[in-house]
């Protein structure tokens, strides 16, 4: 590096540039915050049941096997659109019943197949979880995932 | 070792290596579960294993960073640490918190956001620990010589503490939750952690090559500048599909592509310094880890990140084994290796020995690095096949997993090699060391300042 590029210049570029990019980032995040609240998610239907369902999701560390909107562990299927795979958009009651049956049947104990633990959820908890997954399936994710398979 | 208080680093390094062992052991177990899924499935299900695997990693890397800071700051600031006692109390508290978290996880006591599973009281303890650290090192730096290395290191460490505060915010709206969750996760590993990495690497280069400090410091500014200019807006590559606006696809694609630049610069920097100096530092193993760190960080964080960072590609690969491949090599290359480099460099001074067990240490480098490279290739191929079958053909997730089972066996094999490398490394570092360091030999090559 030439002498014209002094250490002081390097320092100023670093601190000044970082502040500039950070400020830009904050501004864009604020815009996105607004967009999430008003456009991409349905805040009106974010009921207590949905919020409780999110806590059921968290308490049982579902994210450490499954992905949700592509984030999480890669050991078990994507669940951001599982509501649609269960046909919940056409028959919500049927989807909740199917989810209850699924949760009750775990672990399958089948040799050589990945095992989902038994979480001992109450009926209320499964219903809340279903409400959370239903709400999540309606987030505008720019059409992700590409296929119903998740 | 020139300053008595640098000794606290020894305890940090020992604690970090202990947790490294836990991380690898549990990682191996998780690898076994992938191929023999009924293993421990009721006693220790996969979600708990993975939680411990990732949390142990993050915590030991942080403990390593703290140790590295306590080692290099007295030498840089040319003064004793403000309070070595506080540093030890801090370590005790942090290790207690980490162990309490791990034991809690075994009994299903955890919160449920990825990587931030620590119960709130442990998160609060982490903040207290961070404040103790920042107080200690900031006062040390203020009373001594200020260098670019300590400045960048401190900015990085303060950044770690500040961004961690977002972990306390958990809104009911999943999209908001995810957006701010990345303020911790991305701005850590693709932001301020890079500052810590680059400053430790710069310290090692000054010490081992003896190249003029002025030159190293300019490089350091260039590297960390590139890291933040690209990395901050690069956060956009996590904002493609979580309910955030479409403009992130453009911003994220552009800036995260540029995230390769700081890693490339680091490679050029490290090799230039070694080539320019012409000196041969006696601790060859530390040099190998330092250069290896630059190269593997470039491949893991740089190239493997670029592989799936463009929005039109990420649309198909997002959340597949491609992500897993990148995650493994990036963390290993950038953050594991810099820790192993500074530990390899510092241990002879901390133990009052000439560089020891060099051959063993270098063997552990090749075993671990070869294992990680093979693991990455296996997972990458698995990810490409998965992407095609699941995301293009629309095949069911579990059917696809059965198709790629072979690659999980390869990954497990690679994991065994890595574990063997870790054992060898621990023996090389903590095992018997023969020669004592004569008092008359200078403790390090000094640059012409």
């Amino acid at each position: 590096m030439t002498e014209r590029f002094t250490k002081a210049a390097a320092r100023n570029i670093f601190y000044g540039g970082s502040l500039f990019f950070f400020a830009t980032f904050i501004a864009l995040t604020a815009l996105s915050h607004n967009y999430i609240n008003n456009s991409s998610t349905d805040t009106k239907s974010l009921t207590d049941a949905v919020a409780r369902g999110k806590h059921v999701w968290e308490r049982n560390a579902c994210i450490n096997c499954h992905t949700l909107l592509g984030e999480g562990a890669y050991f078990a299927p994507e669940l951001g659109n599982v509501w649609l795979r269960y046909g919940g958009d056409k028959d919500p009651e049927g989807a909740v019943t199917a989810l209850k049956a699924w949760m009750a049947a775990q672990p399958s104990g089948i040799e050589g197949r990945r095992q989902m633990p038994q979480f001992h959820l109450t009926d209320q908890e499964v219903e809340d979880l279903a409400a959370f997954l239903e709400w999540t399936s309606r987030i505008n994710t720019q059409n992700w995932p590409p296929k119903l398979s998740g | 070792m020139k300053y008595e208080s640098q000794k606290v680093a020894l305890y940090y390094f020992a604690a970090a290596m202990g947790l490294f062992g836990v991380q690898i052991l549990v990682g191996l177990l998780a690898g076994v579960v992938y191929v023999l899924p009924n293993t421990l499935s009721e006693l220790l299900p996969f979600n708990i294993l993975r939680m411990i695997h990732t949390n142990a990693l993050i915590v030991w890397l942080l403990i390593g960073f703290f140790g590295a800071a306590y080692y290099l700051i007295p030498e840089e600031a040319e003064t004793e640490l403000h309070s070595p006692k506080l540093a030890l109390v801090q370590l005790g508290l942090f290790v207690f918190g980490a162990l309490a978290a791990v034991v809690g996880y075994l009994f299903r006591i955890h919160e449920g956001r990825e990587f931030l599973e620590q119960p709130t009281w442990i998160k609060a303890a982490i903040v207290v620990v961070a404040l103790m650290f920042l107080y200690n090192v900031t006062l040390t730096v203020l009373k001594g010589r200020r260098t670019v290395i300590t400045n960048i290191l401190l900015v990085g460490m303060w950044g770690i503490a500040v961004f961690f505060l977002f972990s306390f915010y958990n809104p009911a709206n999943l999209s908001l939750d995810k957006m701010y969750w990345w303020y911790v996760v991305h701005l850590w590993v693709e932001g301020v952690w890079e500052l810590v990495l680059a400053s430790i690497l710069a310290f090692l280069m000054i010490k081992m090559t003896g190249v003029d400090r002025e030159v190293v410091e300019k490089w350091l500014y260039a590297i960390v500048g590139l890291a933040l200019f690209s990395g901050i807006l690069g956060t956009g590559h996590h904002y493609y599909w979580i309910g955030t606006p479409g403009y992130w696809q453009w911003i994220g694609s552009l800036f995260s592509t540029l995230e390769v630049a700081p890693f490339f610069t680091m490679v050029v920097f490290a090799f230039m310094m070694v080539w320019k100096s012409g000196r041969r530092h006696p601790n060859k193993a530390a040099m190998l880890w330092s250069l290896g760190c630059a190269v593997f960080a470039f491949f893991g964080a740089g190239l493997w990140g670029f592989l799936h960072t463009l929005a039109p590609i990420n649309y198909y690969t997002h959340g597949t084994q491609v992500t897993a491949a990148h995650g493994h090599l990036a963390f290993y290359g950038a953050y594991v290796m810099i820790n192993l480099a500074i530990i390899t460099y510092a241990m002879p001074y901390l133990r009052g020995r000439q560089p020891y067990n060099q051959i063993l240490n270098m063997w552990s480098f090749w075993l671990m690095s070869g294992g990680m490279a093979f693991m990455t290739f296996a997972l990458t191929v698995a990810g490409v096949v998965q992407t095609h079958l699941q995301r293009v053909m629309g095949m069911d997730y579990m059917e696809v997993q059965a198709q790629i089972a072979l690659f999980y066996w390869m990954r497990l094999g690679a994991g065994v090699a890595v574990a063997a490398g870790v054992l060898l490394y621990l023996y090389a570092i903590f095992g018997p060391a023969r020669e004592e360091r004569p008092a008359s030999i200078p403790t390090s090559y000094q640059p012409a300042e």
Side-chain angles (χ1 to χ4, degrees), chain B residues 296-331:
Chain B
F296 272 76
F298 170 67
F299 276 97
L303 282 189
W304 252 259
F306 174 68
L307 203 66
H308 57 141
T309 204
L310 298 174
I313 292 172
N314 191 264
Y315 182 66
Y316 292 98
T317 59
H318 181 49
T320 63
Q321 295 298 326
V322 174
T323 321
H326 162 59
H328 280 87
L329 198 64
F331 265 94

mmCIF file of all heavy atoms in Angstrom, chain B residues 296-331:
data_model
loop_
_atom_site.group_PDB
_atom_site.id
_atom_site.type_symbol
_atom_site.label_atom_id
_atom_site.label_comp_id
_atom_site.label_asym_id
_atom_site.label_seq_id
_atom_site.Cartn_x
_atom_site.Cartn_y
_atom_site.Cartn_z
ATOM 1 N N PHE B 296 -9.222 -21.451 5.332
ATOM 2 C CA PHE B 296 -10.492 -22.143 5.572
ATOM 3 C C PHE B 296 -11.639 -21.158 5.787
ATOM 4 O O PHE B 296 -12.783 -21.447 5.427
ATOM 5 C CB PHE B 296 -10.370 -23.111 6.752
ATOM 6 C CG PHE B 296 -9.896 -24.470 6.335
ATOM 7 C CD1 PHE B 296 -8.559 -24.683 6.030
ATOM 8 C CD2 PHE B 296 -10.773 -25.538 6.217
ATOM 9 C CE1 PHE B 296 -8.112 -25.931 5.615
ATOM 10 C CE2 PHE B 296 -10.340 -26.787 5.812
ATOM 11 C CZ PHE B 296 -9.007 -26.989 5.509
ATOM 12 N N ALA B 297 -11.354 -20.005 6.377
ATOM 13 C CA ALA B 297 -12.412 -18.998 6.520
ATOM 14 C C ALA B 297 -12.834 -18.512 5.144
ATOM 15 O O ALA B 297 -14.022 -18.321 4.866
ATOM 16 C CB ALA B 297 -11.925 -17.829 7.375
ATOM 17 N N PHE B 298 -11.867 -18.353 4.253
ATOM 18 C CA PHE B 298 -12.194 -17.921 2.895
ATOM 19 C C PHE B 298 -13.082 -18.957 2.193
ATOM 20 O O PHE B 298 -14.092 -18.613 1.578
ATOM 21 C CB PHE B 298 -10.899 -17.691 2.096
ATOM 22 C CG PHE B 298 -11.135 -17.487 0.623
ATOM 23 C CD1 PHE B 298 -11.787 -16.356 0.158
ATOM 24 C CD2 PHE B 298 -10.721 -18.435 -0.295
ATOM 25 C CE1 PHE B 298 -12.019 -16.178 -1.195
ATOM 26 C CE2 PHE B 298 -10.952 -18.268 -1.651
ATOM 27 C CZ PHE B 298 -11.605 -17.140 -2.103
ATOM 28 N N PHE B 299 -12.725 -20.236 2.334
ATOM 29 C CA PHE B 299 -13.549 -21.263 1.698
ATOM 30 C C PHE B 299 -14.906 -21.410 2.395
ATOM 31 O O PHE B 299 -15.948 -21.398 1.746
ATOM 32 C CB PHE B 299 -12.815 -22.616 1.684
ATOM 33 C CG PHE B 299 -11.866 -22.739 0.523
ATOM 34 C CD1 PHE B 299 -10.512 -22.463 0.671
ATOM 35 C CD2 PHE B 299 -12.342 -23.102 -0.724
ATOM 36 C CE1 PHE B 299 -9.646 -22.547 -0.407
ATOM 37 C CE2 PHE B 299 -11.477 -23.191 -1.814
ATOM 38 C CZ PHE B 299 -10.123 -22.903 -1.650
ATOM 39 N N GLY B 300 -14.872 -21.545 3.722
ATOM 40 C CA GLY B 300 -16.106 -21.855 4.455
ATOM 41 C C GLY B 300 -17.067 -20.697 4.528
ATOM 42 O O GLY B 300 -18.249 -20.822 4.171
ATOM 43 N N ALA B 301 -16.564 -19.549 4.996
ATOM 44 C CA ALA B 301 -17.446 -18.397 5.150
ATOM 45 C C ALA B 301 -17.607 -17.679 3.814
ATOM 46 O O ALA B 301 -18.696 -17.240 3.463
ATOM 47 C CB ALA B 301 -16.870 -17.447 6.207
ATOM 48 N N GLY B 302 -16.510 -17.582 3.059
ATOM 49 C CA GLY B 302 -16.558 -16.832 1.807
ATOM 50 C C GLY B 302 -17.210 -17.610 0.677
ATOM 51 O O GLY B 302 -18.349 -17.338 0.290
ATOM 52 N N LEU B 303 -16.501 -18.615 0.137
ATOM 53 C CA LEU B 303 -17.006 -19.312 -1.050
ATOM 54 C C LEU B 303 -18.282 -20.104 -0.783
ATOM 55 O O LEU B 303 -19.239 -20.033 -1.544
ATOM 56 C CB LEU B 303 -15.929 -20.250 -1.608
ATOM 57 C CG LEU B 303 -14.823 -19.559 -2.412
ATOM 58 C CD1 LEU B 303 -13.956 -20.604 -3.096
ATOM 59 C CD2 LEU B 303 -15.417 -18.607 -3.444
ATOM 60 N N TRP B 304 -18.295 -20.866 0.319
ATOM 61 C CA TRP B 304 -19.493 -21.670 0.598
ATOM 62 C C TRP B 304 -20.678 -20.781 0.979
ATOM 63 O O TRP B 304 -21.831 -21.188 0.860
ATOM 64 C CB TRP B 304 -19.206 -22.728 1.669
ATOM 65 C CG TRP B 304 -19.154 -24.091 1.068
ATOM 66 C CD1 TRP B 304 -20.155 -25.020 1.118
ATOM 67 C CD2 TRP B 304 -18.087 -24.680 0.314
ATOM 68 N NE1 TRP B 304 -19.763 -26.151 0.427
ATOM 69 C CE2 TRP B 304 -18.513 -25.972 -0.066
ATOM 70 C CE3 TRP B 304 -16.826 -24.252 -0.088
ATOM 71 C CZ2 TRP B 304 -17.711 -26.834 -0.823
ATOM 72 C CZ3 TRP B 304 -16.036 -25.103 -0.830
ATOM 73 C CH2 TRP B 304 -16.470 -26.367 -1.185
ATOM 74 N N GLY B 305 -20.397 -19.583 1.438
ATOM 75 C CA GLY B 305 -21.490 -18.643 1.672
ATOM 76 C C GLY B 305 -22.023 -18.121 0.358
ATOM 77 O O GLY B 305 -23.230 -18.084 0.113
ATOM 78 N N PHE B 306 -21.105 -17.775 -0.537
ATOM 79 C CA PHE B 306 -21.511 -17.230 -1.846
ATOM 80 C C PHE B 306 -22.304 -18.264 -2.643
ATOM 81 O O PHE B 306 -23.246 -17.914 -3.362
ATOM 82 C CB PHE B 306 -20.277 -16.788 -2.636
ATOM 83 C CG PHE B 306 -20.614 -16.351 -4.032
ATOM 84 C CD1 PHE B 306 -21.344 -15.187 -4.235
ATOM 85 C CD2 PHE B 306 -20.237 -17.109 -5.129
ATOM 86 C CE1 PHE B 306 -21.696 -14.796 -5.519
ATOM 87 C CE2 PHE B 306 -20.585 -16.721 -6.410
ATOM 88 C CZ PHE B 306 -21.322 -15.554 -6.612
ATOM 89 N N LEU B 307 -21.921 -19.523 -2.466
ATOM 90 C CA LEU B 307 -22.572 -20.618 -3.188
ATOM 91 C C LEU B 307 -24.100 -20.519 -3.183
ATOM 92 O O LEU B 307 -24.752 -20.844 -4.169
ATOM 93 C CB LEU B 307 -22.147 -21.916 -2.497
ATOM 94 C CG LEU B 307 -22.187 -23.227 -3.229
ATOM 95 C CD1 LEU B 307 -21.167 -23.213 -4.351
ATOM 96 C CD2 LEU B 307 -21.833 -24.362 -2.259
ATOM 97 N N HIS B 308 -24.674 -20.093 -2.082
ATOM 98 C CA HIS B 308 -26.144 -20.100 -1.981
ATOM 99 C C HIS B 308 -26.696 -18.761 -1.505
ATOM 100 O O HIS B 308 -27.777 -18.705 -0.949
ATOM 101 C CB HIS B 308 -26.614 -21.238 -1.064
ATOM 102 C CG HIS B 308 -26.030 -21.197 0.315
ATOM 103 N ND1 HIS B 308 -26.743 -21.494 1.443
ATOM 104 C CD2 HIS B 308 -24.790 -20.873 0.748
ATOM 105 C CE1 HIS B 308 -25.976 -21.360 2.502
ATOM 106 N NE2 HIS B 308 -24.786 -20.991 2.108
ATOM 107 N N THR B 309 -25.940 -17.684 -1.727
ATOM 108 C CA THR B 309 -26.397 -16.409 -1.178
ATOM 109 C C THR B 309 -27.236 -15.593 -2.152
ATOM 110 O O THR B 309 -27.973 -14.713 -1.740
ATOM 111 C CB THR B 309 -25.200 -15.570 -0.673
ATOM 112 O OG1 THR B 309 -25.686 -14.656 0.310
ATOM 113 C CG2 THR B 309 -24.539 -14.779 -1.787
ATOM 114 N N LEU B 310 -27.125 -15.857 -3.444
ATOM 115 C CA LEU B 310 -27.920 -15.083 -4.400
ATOM 116 C C LEU B 310 -29.384 -15.509 -4.292
ATOM 117 O O LEU B 310 -29.688 -16.709 -4.296
ATOM 118 C CB LEU B 310 -27.393 -15.298 -5.824
ATOM 119 C CG LEU B 310 -25.950 -14.823 -6.045
ATOM 120 C CD1 LEU B 310 -25.455 -15.204 -7.436
ATOM 121 C CD2 LEU B 310 -25.840 -13.311 -5.847
ATOM 122 N N ALA B 311 -30.274 -14.519 -4.226
ATOM 123 C CA ALA B 311 -31.681 -14.813 -3.943
ATOM 124 C C ALA B 311 -32.289 -15.877 -4.864
ATOM 125 O O ALA B 311 -32.986 -16.775 -4.383
ATOM 126 C CB ALA B 311 -32.496 -13.519 -3.966
ATOM 127 N N PRO B 312 -32.055 -15.822 -6.183
ATOM 128 C CA PRO B 312 -32.683 -16.827 -7.048
ATOM 129 C C PRO B 312 -32.178 -18.245 -6.773
ATOM 130 O O PRO B 312 -32.901 -19.208 -7.016
ATOM 131 C CB PRO B 312 -32.275 -16.392 -8.463
ATOM 132 C CG PRO B 312 -31.798 -14.996 -8.335
ATOM 133 C CD PRO B 312 -31.298 -14.823 -6.953
ATOM 134 N N ILE B 313 -30.953 -18.366 -6.271
ATOM 135 C CA ILE B 313 -30.430 -19.689 -5.904
ATOM 136 C C ILE B 313 -30.946 -20.070 -4.525
ATOM 137 O O ILE B 313 -31.420 -21.179 -4.291
ATOM 138 C CB ILE B 313 -28.880 -19.677 -5.935
ATOM 139 C CG1 ILE B 313 -28.407 -19.513 -7.376
ATOM 140 C CG2 ILE B 313 -28.314 -20.954 -5.309
ATOM 141 C CD1 ILE B 313 -26.938 -19.292 -7.524
ATOM 142 N N ASN B 314 -30.880 -19.104 -3.613
ATOM 143 C CA ASN B 314 -31.303 -19.363 -2.242
ATOM 144 C C ASN B 314 -32.774 -19.765 -2.164
ATOM 145 O O ASN B 314 -33.186 -20.499 -1.259
ATOM 146 C CB ASN B 314 -31.037 -18.122 -1.382
ATOM 147 C CG ASN B 314 -31.199 -18.398 0.092
ATOM 148 O OD1 ASN B 314 -32.257 -18.144 0.667
ATOM 149 N ND2 ASN B 314 -30.166 -18.955 0.710
ATOM 150 N N TYR B 315 -33.561 -19.301 -3.124
ATOM 151 C CA TYR B 315 -34.980 -19.674 -3.188
ATOM 152 C C TYR B 315 -35.110 -21.200 -3.171
ATOM 153 O O TYR B 315 -36.033 -21.750 -2.572
ATOM 154 C CB TYR B 315 -35.583 -19.096 -4.471
ATOM 155 C CG TYR B 315 -37.053 -19.353 -4.647
ATOM 156 C CD1 TYR B 315 -37.987 -18.776 -3.787
ATOM 157 C CD2 TYR B 315 -37.520 -20.159 -5.679
ATOM 158 C CE1 TYR B 315 -39.341 -18.999 -3.948
ATOM 159 C CE2 TYR B 315 -38.871 -20.396 -5.855
ATOM 160 C CZ TYR B 315 -39.776 -19.813 -4.990
ATOM 161 O OH TYR B 315 -41.115 -20.034 -5.154
ATOM 162 N N TYR B 316 -34.168 -21.889 -3.806
ATOM 163 C CA TYR B 316 -34.215 -23.356 -3.854
ATOM 164 C C TYR B 316 -33.408 -24.030 -2.748
ATOM 165 O O TYR B 316 -33.763 -25.097 -2.273
ATOM 166 C CB TYR B 316 -33.733 -23.857 -5.230
ATOM 167 C CG TYR B 316 -34.707 -23.484 -6.322
ATOM 168 C CD1 TYR B 316 -34.499 -22.373 -7.122
ATOM 169 C CD2 TYR B 316 -35.882 -24.213 -6.498
ATOM 170 C CE1 TYR B 316 -35.423 -22.001 -8.086
ATOM 171 C CE2 TYR B 316 -36.812 -23.856 -7.459
ATOM 172 C CZ TYR B 316 -36.583 -22.747 -8.256
ATOM 173 O OH TYR B 316 -37.503 -22.386 -9.188
ATOM 174 N N THR B 317 -32.290 -23.426 -2.335
ATOM 175 C CA THR B 317 -31.403 -24.126 -1.392
ATOM 176 C C THR B 317 -31.677 -23.786 0.077
ATOM 177 O O THR B 317 -31.170 -24.471 0.962
ATOM 178 C CB THR B 317 -29.927 -23.757 -1.649
ATOM 179 O OG1 THR B 317 -29.782 -22.338 -1.491
ATOM 180 C CG2 THR B 317 -29.484 -24.157 -3.035
ATOM 181 N N HIS B 318 -32.440 -22.735 0.320
ATOM 182 C CA HIS B 318 -32.670 -22.233 1.681
ATOM 183 C C HIS B 318 -33.125 -23.346 2.633
ATOM 184 O O HIS B 318 -34.124 -24.009 2.384
ATOM 185 C CB HIS B 318 -33.735 -21.136 1.603
ATOM 186 C CG HIS B 318 -34.075 -20.510 2.919
ATOM 187 N ND1 HIS B 318 -33.117 -20.053 3.797
ATOM 188 C CD2 HIS B 318 -35.268 -20.242 3.508
ATOM 189 C CE1 HIS B 318 -33.712 -19.536 4.859
ATOM 190 N NE2 HIS B 318 -35.011 -19.641 4.712
ATOM 191 N N GLY B 319 -32.364 -23.518 3.717
ATOM 192 C CA GLY B 319 -32.776 -24.497 4.721
ATOM 193 C C GLY B 319 -32.613 -25.941 4.290
ATOM 194 O O GLY B 319 -33.375 -26.811 4.707
ATOM 195 N N THR B 320 -31.603 -26.217 3.444
ATOM 196 C CA THR B 320 -31.295 -27.607 3.093
ATOM 197 C C THR B 320 -29.911 -27.939 3.647
ATOM 198 O O THR B 320 -29.302 -27.138 4.349
ATOM 199 C CB THR B 320 -31.253 -27.802 1.566
ATOM 200 O OG1 THR B 320 -30.192 -27.002 1.047
ATOM 201 C CG2 THR B 320 -32.567 -27.400 0.920
ATOM 202 N N GLN B 321 -29.409 -29.114 3.286
ATOM 203 C CA GLN B 321 -28.076 -29.508 3.749
ATOM 204 C C GLN B 321 -26.983 -28.601 3.181
ATOM 205 O O GLN B 321 -25.851 -28.605 3.677
ATOM 206 C CB GLN B 321 -27.798 -30.971 3.395
ATOM 207 C CG GLN B 321 -28.710 -31.962 4.125
ATOM 208 C CD GLN B 321 -28.546 -31.925 5.627
ATOM 209 O OE1 GLN B 321 -27.457 -31.692 6.139
ATOM 210 N NE2 GLN B 321 -29.629 -32.135 6.350
ATOM 211 N N VAL B 322 -27.289 -27.816 2.145
ATOM 212 C CA VAL B 322 -26.317 -26.836 1.650
ATOM 213 C C VAL B 322 -26.005 -25.841 2.766
ATOM 214 O O VAL B 322 -24.840 -25.491 3.010
ATOM 215 C CB VAL B 322 -26.859 -26.094 0.405
ATOM 216 C CG1 VAL B 322 -25.909 -24.977 -0.007
ATOM 217 C CG2 VAL B 322 -27.066 -27.071 -0.745
ATOM 218 N N THR B 323 -27.045 -25.410 3.460
ATOM 219 C CA THR B 323 -26.851 -24.489 4.582
ATOM 220 C C THR B 323 -26.008 -25.139 5.670
ATOM 221 O O THR B 323 -25.124 -24.509 6.250
ATOM 222 C CB THR B 323 -28.209 -24.067 5.165
ATOM 223 O OG1 THR B 323 -29.133 -23.867 4.100
ATOM 224 C CG2 THR B 323 -28.075 -22.811 5.985
ATOM 225 N N ALA B 324 -26.289 -26.422 5.930
ATOM 226 C CA ALA B 324 -25.539 -27.135 6.967
ATOM 227 C C ALA B 324 -24.056 -27.220 6.587
ATOM 228 O O ALA B 324 -23.173 -27.033 7.431
ATOM 229 C CB ALA B 324 -26.122 -28.526 7.170
ATOM 230 N N ALA B 325 -23.786 -27.489 5.303
ATOM 231 C CA ALA B 325 -22.399 -27.586 4.841
ATOM 232 C C ALA B 325 -21.669 -26.266 5.094
ATOM 233 O O ALA B 325 -20.563 -26.234 5.659
ATOM 234 C CB ALA B 325 -22.365 -27.934 3.357
ATOM 235 N N HIS B 326 -22.290 -25.174 4.670
ATOM 236 C CA HIS B 326 -21.699 -23.847 4.862
ATOM 237 C C HIS B 326 -21.483 -23.547 6.344
ATOM 238 O O HIS B 326 -20.415 -23.087 6.748
ATOM 239 C CB HIS B 326 -22.621 -22.803 4.221
ATOM 240 C CG HIS B 326 -22.403 -21.404 4.683
ATOM 241 N ND1 HIS B 326 -21.195 -20.759 4.550
ATOM 242 C CD2 HIS B 326 -23.239 -20.517 5.266
ATOM 243 C CE1 HIS B 326 -21.313 -19.521 5.047
ATOM 244 N NE2 HIS B 326 -22.521 -19.356 5.486
ATOM 245 N N GLY B 327 -22.492 -23.823 7.151
ATOM 246 C CA GLY B 327 -22.393 -23.533 8.582
ATOM 247 C C GLY B 327 -21.210 -24.233 9.222
ATOM 248 O O GLY B 327 -20.451 -23.639 9.988
ATOM 249 N N HIS B 328 -21.030 -25.511 8.889
ATOM 250 C CA HIS B 328 -19.939 -26.267 9.507
ATOM 251 C C HIS B 328 -18.569 -25.721 9.103
ATOM 252 O O HIS B 328 -17.703 -25.505 9.939
ATOM 253 C CB HIS B 328 -20.051 -27.753 9.146
ATOM 254 C CG HIS B 328 -21.055 -28.493 9.988
ATOM 255 N ND1 HIS B 328 -22.381 -28.565 9.663
ATOM 256 C CD2 HIS B 328 -20.927 -29.159 11.162
ATOM 257 C CE1 HIS B 328 -23.026 -29.267 10.597
ATOM 258 N NE2 HIS B 328 -22.166 -29.640 11.516
ATOM 259 N N LEU B 329 -18.358 -25.500 7.815
ATOM 260 C CA LEU B 329 -17.017 -25.080 7.391
ATOM 261 C C LEU B 329 -16.732 -23.627 7.778
ATOM 262 O O LEU B 329 -15.596 -23.267 8.092
ATOM 263 C CB LEU B 329 -16.825 -25.259 5.875
ATOM 264 C CG LEU B 329 -15.349 -25.264 5.460
ATOM 265 C CD1 LEU B 329 -14.616 -26.452 6.059
ATOM 266 C CD2 LEU B 329 -15.180 -25.269 3.948
ATOM 267 N N ALA B 330 -17.763 -22.788 7.783
ATOM 268 C CA ALA B 330 -17.553 -21.381 8.126
ATOM 269 C C ALA B 330 -17.141 -21.244 9.592
ATOM 270 O O ALA B 330 -16.175 -20.559 9.922
ATOM 271 C CB ALA B 330 -18.820 -20.576 7.845
ATOM 272 N N PHE B 331 -17.878 -21.922 10.479
ATOM 273 C CA PHE B 331 -17.531 -21.807 11.901
ATOM 274 C C PHE B 331 -16.154 -22.406 12.168
ATOM 275 O O PHE B 331 -15.371 -21.856 12.938
ATOM 276 C CB PHE B 331 -18.587 -22.485 12.781
ATOM 277 C CG PHE B 331 -19.616 -21.521 13.276
ATOM 278 C CD1 PHE B 331 -20.809 -21.324 12.607
ATOM 279 C CD2 PHE B 331 -19.371 -20.766 14.422
ATOM 280 C CE1 PHE B 331 -21.739 -20.413 13.052
ATOM 281 C CE2 PHE B 331 -20.296 -19.850 14.879
ATOM 282 C CZ PHE B 331 -21.487 -19.675 14.190
#
